[in-house]
Amino acid sequence: MTSIFDSKLKTQFPLEVWAGLECTVNRVGEEYFDQLERNGHGTRLEDLELFAQLGIRAIRYPVLWERIAPNGLENADWSWADVRLGRLQELGICPIVGLVHHGSGPRYTSLIDPAFPEKLAEFARAIAQRYPWVRYYTPINEPLTTARFSGLYGHWYPHGRDDLTFGRAFLAECRGVCLAMQAIREVNPSAQLVQTDDLGKTYSTPKLAYQADLENERRWLTFDLLCGRITPNHPIWGYLLHCGISESELEEFCQNPCPPDIIGINHYVTSDRFLDENLENYPIWTHGGNGQDHYADIEAVRVCAEGAAGPRTLLQEAWERYQIPLAVTEVHLHCTREEQLRWLCEVWNAAQELRSQGVDIRAVTAWALLGTYDWNSLVTRWVGNYESGVFDLRSPQPRATAIAKTIRDLAAGRNPDHPVLDIPGWWHRPERLVYPAVSCGLDERSTKASESILSPASHRPLAIIGATGTLGKAFARLCEVRGIPYCLLTRQEMDIAHPAAVDAVLTELQPWAVINAAGYVRVDDAEREPENCLRVNTVGAEILATVCAQHNLPLVTFSSDLVFNGAVTQPYVETDAISPLSVYGCSKALAEKRVLQACPTSLIIRTSAFFSPWDEYNFVTIALRELSAGEEFLAAQDTIISPTYVPDLVHASLDLLIDGETGLWHLANKCEISWANLARLAAKQAGVSIKRLIALPTRHLNLAAPRPTYSVLGSSRGDIMPGLEDAISRYCEECQI
C-alpha cells in the first residue's frame, strides 16, 4: 500500500489520518494497570474491522513487552500479536508497533535497571525476527513524560521523586530506544523510528522565568538526545550532569545518534503549564516548588490572557528546530462530544496550514480509539473513570461516536461540516479562565492563530422547545456552557400542536436540530384532563416530528418510564413491551409510536424521576427543604424507580444527538431505589436529619394516577449515565449544600 511514509516528497500525498488506542501498561507498586484489559481490546479481534472502516492509513499498535513476555523472552506468548498484526496486514493498515507504553518493563527489570536497554533490545530483536514485514516502530512512547512521572513526580514505578532517579530512568529509556532500533535494523535495515513525546510549554511570572526556561529546554530532551545534540554547549548539559548522567554517557549519543525518522508530537489542551509564586490565587493542590521557590503549577489555558499557544505553534517550533518530518501522534480530549470534534479539527487545520507553508507534516492521529480509563488520576488507581473516544465502550459493542464520522470524512478528503464546529473550543472562550488572567507573552504568531480561530462565523442554532420547563431551561443553560448556539422557544413562539406555526418557525430559524423539551408533566392531573395531556404530549410531538422530517432535521424528544406497567423485577430495556397504566403513560406511549412513524430518524429518550439543582419543585429539592425545616415529608417505600439528574440527562442527550443516534434510548442514573430511600440518600449526602421522613405504601398517598411499582430503566443500547450517588453528590455541590 502506497503511504506518505514511503516518500520524502510530502506534497505528493495528502495529510494522512492515523489512529491509536490507549494501551498503557504501567506499574504502581507491585500492581500493573493494563488499559487493554480495561477496554476489552485484548479479547476483541473484531475491533480491527471497526478501525479499518474509518479509512485510516496507519495505527499506533501495541506489542507490549509486559504483555508478551512478562516471564522472560524464553516464555513469550506471541499468539495475540500474531493474530492481530496479521489481521492488520490483511486490512491494509500499517502498524506502528509500540513496545513500551508508559511502562517500566516486566518485573525482572525497571527503568533504573542498568540492563534495561539491553533487555528491551533483545525483545525488539525478537519482534523484528517474528514480523520482518513491520517497518515502523515506537520502542518507547514518551520517554521524557514517563521518566518525569516515574522518577520525578513519583506517580509510577519506581516512584522516584528526585533528579537522580529521573535522570537514570530517562537515560535508560533513550538508550533503550537506540539499542532497540539497532537490533531491529540488524534484522530489517529499512525499519523506521517514529518517536513520540509531549512538547507542552511552560510559562511563568518574571520571578520564575528561570524555572520555566529549564522546563522549556527539558521538553526537547527526548529528541535532542536521540539526535546527538546534547553537547557541553547545550543549555541543559549542566542539568543532566546534576541528574547523575555522566559526560561519557551523553557523548555516546553524540557519537551514535539515533534520530527519529518521524517526530511524533503528543499534545493536549492542558499540556502547557503556568508557574506563579502568588499561591493565594490558586487551590492548595496546585502548590509545589523546586526547593528554591514555592509556586503554583497550573494549566496555562486557565490563566493565560492570550490563550494557549496551540498545536500550530508547537509544530512550527519542532520543524524549525529539527527539520525532521512530523506527525501529530495523539489527538484526544476528555470533554463533551462537540469539544472533542473541535479539538480534532483544530489540530488537523493547523497541520494543513503548516503543510501549505512547506512544513513536512505527515499525519494527524486520532487517539484513544476506544477511550481511556482513569487518566484523571494519572492511572495510579483503578476507579473506572472512563473517557470515551472514537468509539464509546459503554454500549454492548463499541459504538461509533461523531468522532468516527469526522475521521472518515478527513480520511476521504472531505471537510467535516457538523454545525458545532462553527464555534471555537472552550480553550478559546472566556470561560476557560478560572484564575486571575495574566499575560504569558505569547508571540504574534500564536495570537494571530487564536484570532483566526475566533473569527466570527455564521452558525445555525439548536432549537429547544419548552422555555418555561425544567428540561428546556436546563438545555439552554448547558448549551451556553458547551458553546452550542441555541434558540429557546416558548409555546407562544411556536405551538407544536399547529403544523403551520411549526413549519414557519423552523423555516425562519433554520436550526440544525430540534429538541422537544415541552410536555404535559402533571401525571395526576392528566387523569382529569386527558385531552390536554394528549394534545401536548402526543399530537404536538407527532406534528413536530412530521415537520422535522419535511425539513430533514434531527429531532430529540422525551418519553417516560411510565409507559411500563411494573410487572417485572429487572430493569426495563428499550425493546421491552410497553403497557402504560395512566393517561400520562398512554400519552407518551402513543407519542413514541407516532413520532417514529412520522420521523424514523428521531431520537426518543425515555427517562424518569427528575431532580435538578436549578428547579425548586423536584422531589429531592422538596424533600431536603422540608426535612431541613423540620417538617414531615411523606414518600413511597414500595415504588422502585431510577432517578435522573437533569444535568447528566442533558449532557448525555446532547452527546447522542451529536453522534447521530436515533430510535429509543433509556437514560437514567444507574440505580434502583424507592422514593423513600431516595430521600434518605439525598439527606445523608446533604447532612440533613431524616427524623421527620415518613415512608408509606404508595396506596396511602392517595395519588390519582396509577403507577407501576417497579419502573427502573436499564438499557440494551448503552449505559452512559453516571451512578446515582455520584449524581447526588454533584447535586449537593451545585446547590452548595
Side-chain angles (χ1 to χ4, degrees), residues 464-477 486 488 515 517-518 650:
I464 304 171
I465 302 163
T468 60
T470 295
L471 193 55
K473 291 178 180 178
F475 267 103
R477 176 189 290 261
Y486 66 92
L488 183 59
I515 291 180
V650 171

Side-chain angles (χ1 to χ4, degrees), residues 4 7-14 355 358 360:
I4 202 167
S7 175
K8 294 183 179 180
L9 300 175
K10 62 183 183 302
T11 57
Q12 184 176 340
F13 297 102
R355 274 172 59 89
D360 188 352

Side-chain angles (χ1 to χ4, degrees), residues 54 62 102 141 171 232 336 361 481 490 494 576 592 595 667 692:
L54 299 172
H102 289 316
N141 174 65
L171 187 78
T336 53
I361 301 178
V481 170
T490 64
M494 187 174 79
D576 285 335
E592 291 178 3
V595 165
L667 292 181
R692 303 284 284 172

Side-chain angles (χ1 to χ4, degrees), residues 234-275:
H234 194 285
I236 212 158
W237 173 272
Y239 169 74
L240 293 177
L241 296 183
H242 168 75
C243 290
I245 300 175
S246 68
E247 293 187 10
S248 61
E249 289 173 317
L250 295 176
E251 289 168 355
E252 180 183 347
F253 284 92
C254 295
Q255 296 166 5
N256 301 286
C258 182
D261 296 283
I262 294 178
I263 287 177
I265 295 176
N266 300 345
H267 180 68
Y268 291 78
V269 170
T270 57
S271 290
D272 293 349
R273 312 299 298 179
F274 184 79
L275 310 181

